[in-house]
Amino acid sequence: MVATNQTSLQPASFLLLGMAGLEDLHTWLSIPFCLMYIATLLGNFVLLFVIVTERSLHEPMYLFLAMLAVADLILSSSTVPKALSIFWSLSKEISFHACLTQMFFTHFSFIVESTVLLAMAFDRYVAICNPLRYATVFTHPVIAKIGVAAIARSFCVMFPTIFLLQRLLYCGHSIMPHTYCEHMGIARLACTDISVNIWYGFATTLLCPGLDVVLIGVSYSLILRAVFRLSSKDAQVKAVGTCSSHACVILIFYTPAFFSFFTLRFGHNIPDHVHILLANLYVLIPPMLNPIVYSVKNKLIREKVSQILFRTGQLR
């Protein structure tokens, strides 16, 4: 049973139902969730270890990749363990404040990752369109400031949502058909007007990841224009190759996220379990695939990972 305090503004806890309508499949759904989470942990920790320990990888592109790996670990670890707990019927209950904390870190890490992807797009733009200035633009202090700016931006965007949710009256409503807590999922349980939450969520989505996508698109348009002006075919192929892994990661990251965002707000005829599944895709698939894409596409990372695995095999 979920304990609630009828006289307070918030319930003591929420009950997360998981994939509402697919309860009979929870055990089967837990298998891909668990495997993808394990792959996420292994891939991102290996990538971080390689970048941190190999001095030759202490370059801007790889430092941004390390930030991306940290954001991926926070994004998946904020949501997947609780989802597995629900699927395995270990615990479906989550306290109100724990729910807000989960919501904060889920959206916080998403915005951090979006900001880092924008920084990586600008990194590729300078490297290809203005290579002579690259070393002076992307110094280690500048990269550190970009990391701090990504954290500060995400914090400033997400911190108000905690107060926006705390001010609502929930009237004892405490059952949430979801695998994790997210802003609008919590707000829709309220029995008071949530128009401020709706507009704030819509505005922050457009002004953060939405604006980032536009700026990334502008960056890549300028990159492609510069690439097609190159006289050498080999130079064109090399320039496209340096951006291909980043372009793949951008598509993997933003496609399920925006698809989930727009279907949640405009796809009223779509079943709840489809909404929930889409919401889980962007916290599962990008964190798992990002290290794989970069390891496959980037020769230097591939070689360093192979060397570490070879050394580990020799020690055994």
Side-chain angles (χ1 to χ4, degrees), residues 19-81:
M19 297 285 182
L22 298 177
E23 288 85 357
D24 294 340
L25 299 176
H26 274 184
T27 302
W28 293 106
L29 287 169
S30 70
I31 297 173
F33 270 63
C34 187
L35 292 176
M36 284 191 280
Y37 184 55
I38 292 171
T40 297
L41 294 178
L42 288 175
N44 284 287
F45 274 123
V46 168
L47 197 60
L48 275 174
F49 179 78
V50 169
I51 293 171
V52 170
T53 56
E54 294 292 337
R55 293 188 62 84
S56 60
L57 296 181
H58 292 180
E59 297 179 5
M61 183 175 67
Y62 302 108
L63 294 175
F64 285 133
L65 185 54
M67 295 180 194
L68 199 67
V70 172
D72 279 336
L73 288 169
I74 297 173
L75 180 63
S76 58
S77 296
S78 297
T79 55
V80 181

Side-chain angles (χ1 to χ4, degrees), residues 4-19:
T4 59
N5 184 349
Q6 298 287 350
T7 62
S8 67
L9 291 177
Q10 307 98 19
S13 58
F14 290 117
L15 188 68
L16 293 169
L17 298 182
M19 297 285 182

Side-chain angles (χ1 to χ4, degrees), residues 182-184 188 197-198 201-202 205 260-268 275:
E182 52 97 20
H183 178 214
M184 290 310 303
R188 284 197 170 92
N197 297 72
I198 293 172
F202 192 76
T205 301
S260 174
F261 173 81
F262 286 113
T263 55
L264 183 64
R265 283 156 179 80
F266 305 111
H268 301 295
H275 286 303

